[in-house]
Amino acid sequence: MSIGRFVFLSIVVASLAAAMAVWRGHLEVPRQWNPWAPLDLRDAPNLLTGHKLRRLQQDRELCLSVLETAEMRFTPMPDIAPEPRCLLENTVRIERSSAQFSAPFRATCHLAAAYALFERHGLQPAAHEVFGQSVARIDHFGSFACRTIARSNRLSQHATANAFDIAGFRLEDGTRITVARDWQGEGDAARFLRRVRDEACQVFNITLGPDYNQAHHDHFHVDMGGGRLCR
Ligand SMILES: [Zn+2]
C-alpha cells in the first residue's frame, strides 16, 4: 500500500471512529457541532445549521421543540388546504419575537426556525452595530398567498407559507427604515439594509431584494424552498 493511500485510509477510519463515539455519546462535543443534536436557535449558525434545518422539514415534533428555544410567541396550526393546490402543512402562527410584527403571520415551522436564527444572529446584531439599538418592529407584506410566481405557472413558496416578505424595520427610538426608500444611498439605513440582506442569505435558502428585480424593489423575499439564491 502506498503511503498516501495509508494516510487516507487512516483518516477515514479515525473519522468514522470519532463519528461513532459522538453518536453513541462516548465523546462529548458541543451541541452546535454534534450533527445528531437538535438545532438550538440560541447557537450561532455554523456549517451544520443547513443540515439541521432540513431535518425540521420532515419532523413536526422536533421542529416545534426547536422553536421553543427561540424568543418567539407562536401557536402550532392544524393542517389545512384553503385551495386544493395550496396545502398549509406543519405551520405555526407567529405572534411576536424579540420584536413586534406589523401583523401576526403563518409560516412553515422550519421557515419560522430559520427566521428566528436570522433575527437573533443577523438582524439584531446588525441593528446594534449600525444604530446602537434593537429593531423593535418588523413591517412585512405577509407570508401566505395561494399563487404562482409572477410571469410563470410554477407555484410560489408563498402558496405553502414557506416564504416571508419583509418591507422594513422600526428601531427602538421610532426610526423607520424601509426597503423601498432606503435601499439606495450611502447612509446608515442603506448600509444596515445591505447588511440585513447579507445576513438573510446566510440562513434562508432564497433571499431576493431590490438587486434581483423590480418586483422586489420594496421588500426582501426570503424562503425555505429548494435551491440557493442570494441577490
Ligand atoms: Zn415573496
Side-chain angles (χ1 to χ4, degrees):
M1 188 185 317
S2 72
I3 291 192
R5 196 174 160 81
F6 176 75
V7 169
F8 173 74
L9 277 175
S10 304
I11 291 171
V12 169
V13 169
S15 307
L16 283 174
M20 196 73 180
V22 172
W23 180 61
R24 297 181 64 172
H26 297 322
L27 189 64
E28 284 278 340
V29 289
R31 64 184 180 214
Q32 62 269 41
W33 289 109
N34 180 346
W36 294 282
L39 187 59
D40 189 305
L41 298 166
R42 289 164 294 194
D43 297 334
N46 65 20
L47 289 172
L48 295 178
T49 306
H51 156 75
K52 292 189 179 193
L53 278 172
R54 273 192 299 281
R55 263 171 70 195
L56 304 184
Q57 212 168 345
Q58 271 70 278
D59 194 329
R60 185 181 300 245
E61 296 308 314
L62 177 67
C63 189
L64 291 176
S65 70
V66 164
L67 268 199
E68 297 287 346
T69 66
E71 193 180 333
M72 187 179 265
R73 202 160 70 213
F74 66 93
T75 311
M77 300 298 283
D79 295 350
I80 53 160
E83 292 178 41
R85 63 180 185 157
C86 294
L87 174 62
L88 291 171
E89 201 175 15
N90 193 10
T91 60
V92 295
R93 178 184 149 99
I94 300 175
E95 279 115 33
R96 68 159 298 146
S97 58
S98 70
Q100 286 189 314
F101 294 101
S102 49
F105 63 100
R106 193 158 174 157
T108 58
C109 184
H110 71 292
L111 174 66
Y115 175 81
L117 282 175
F118 158 73
E119 185 181 292
R120 181 180 179 120
H121 302 286
L123 176 67
Q124 294 293 19
H128 276 268
E129 203 178 293
V130 177
F131 299 109
Q133 54 182 315
S134 297
V135 168
R137 179 177 142 132
I138 286 101
D139 293 320
H140 67 85
F141 293 154
S143 54
F144 172 67
C146 186
R147 62 170 173 81
T148 53
I149 297 170
R151 288 179 300 281
S152 105
N153 47 27
R154 274 198 307 142
L155 267 189
S156 161
Q157 290 295 317
H158 285 292
T160 49
N162 202 28
F164 185 43
D165 289 336
I166 301 171
F169 307 94
R170 293 183 205 200
L171 304 178
E172 278 172 327
D173 69 2
T175 304
R176 268 190 84 172
I177 299 154
T178 69
V179 177
R181 186 191 58 203
D182 299 313
W183 177 258
Q184 308 293 342
E186 301 299 325
D188 281 351
R191 193 157 60 88
F192 169 70
L193 288 175
R194 278 159 210 285
R195 170 87 188 272
V196 167
R197 192 267 316 265
D198 294 346
E199 295 290 348
C201 289
Q202 300 295 316
V203 178
F204 299 104
N205 291 347
I206 309 285
T207 302
L208 305 173
D211 281 356
Y212 181 61
N213 64 16
Q214 180 57 25
H216 295 81
H217 76 99
D218 59 354
H219 68 280
F220 297 133
H221 165 102
V222 296
D223 77 55
M224 289 304 277
R228 198 88 194 168
L229 191 55
C230 167
R231 284 281 292 282

